[in-house]
Amino acid sequence: MTVAAWAVPLLVVGQFALLAVLPVVLALVGALRSVRDRAVRRAVFLLAAAYAAPLVVWLVRPDGAQSLSKDMHPGFAGLIVAASAALLATLHRARKQRCPGR
């Protein structure tokens, strides 16, 4: 899940926003299947919602650009990067609590 959380902002900033759906879905499924920490689940849902908003806007608009990266407002890209950073911080905190000797 950590690799997926790192991949999302890299793909969005690197102008491969549509491909970022894969790590978002992987993080969401991983959190639902194996993570019991509520904070991690909330952070994953925040990331999924932040990514889904521009994706839905791009799919629904009839006059949208040819790619999600070109159609996405920079504010959405910043929100996705911030949500991914929040997920990474939450994962780090959860790992520290689970393994205090690390």
Side-chain angles (χ1 to χ4, degrees):
M1 190 173 347
T2 304
V3 173
W6 276 107
V8 172
L10 292 176
L11 289 170
V12 169
V13 171
Q15 298 295 309
F16 293 101
L18 191 56
L19 289 177
V21 73
L22 295 174
V24 169
V25 169
L26 287 174
L28 189 61
V29 169
L32 292 175
R33 292 190 76 192
S34 63
V35 176
R36 292 195 171 122
D37 191 355
R38 287 183 181 173
V40 173
R41 286 186 176 194
R42 276 182 265 164
V44 168
F45 286 130
L46 175 68
L47 176 61
Y51 181 77
L55 180 64
V56 169
V57 168
W58 177 64
L59 290 173
V60 172
R61 274 192 6 196
D63 62 339
Q66 290 183 353
S67 73
L68 177 61
S69 297
K70 292 179 182 177
D71 197 52
M72 187 185 306
H73 188 276
F76 277 127
L79 183 63
I80 292 169
V81 170
S84 185
L87 175 58
L88 286 166
T90 307
L91 285 169
H92 181 70
R93 182 201 48 83
R95 192 171 294 125
K96 286 285 190 181
Q97 286 181 350
R98 191 176 64 217
C99 303
R102 277 182 122 185

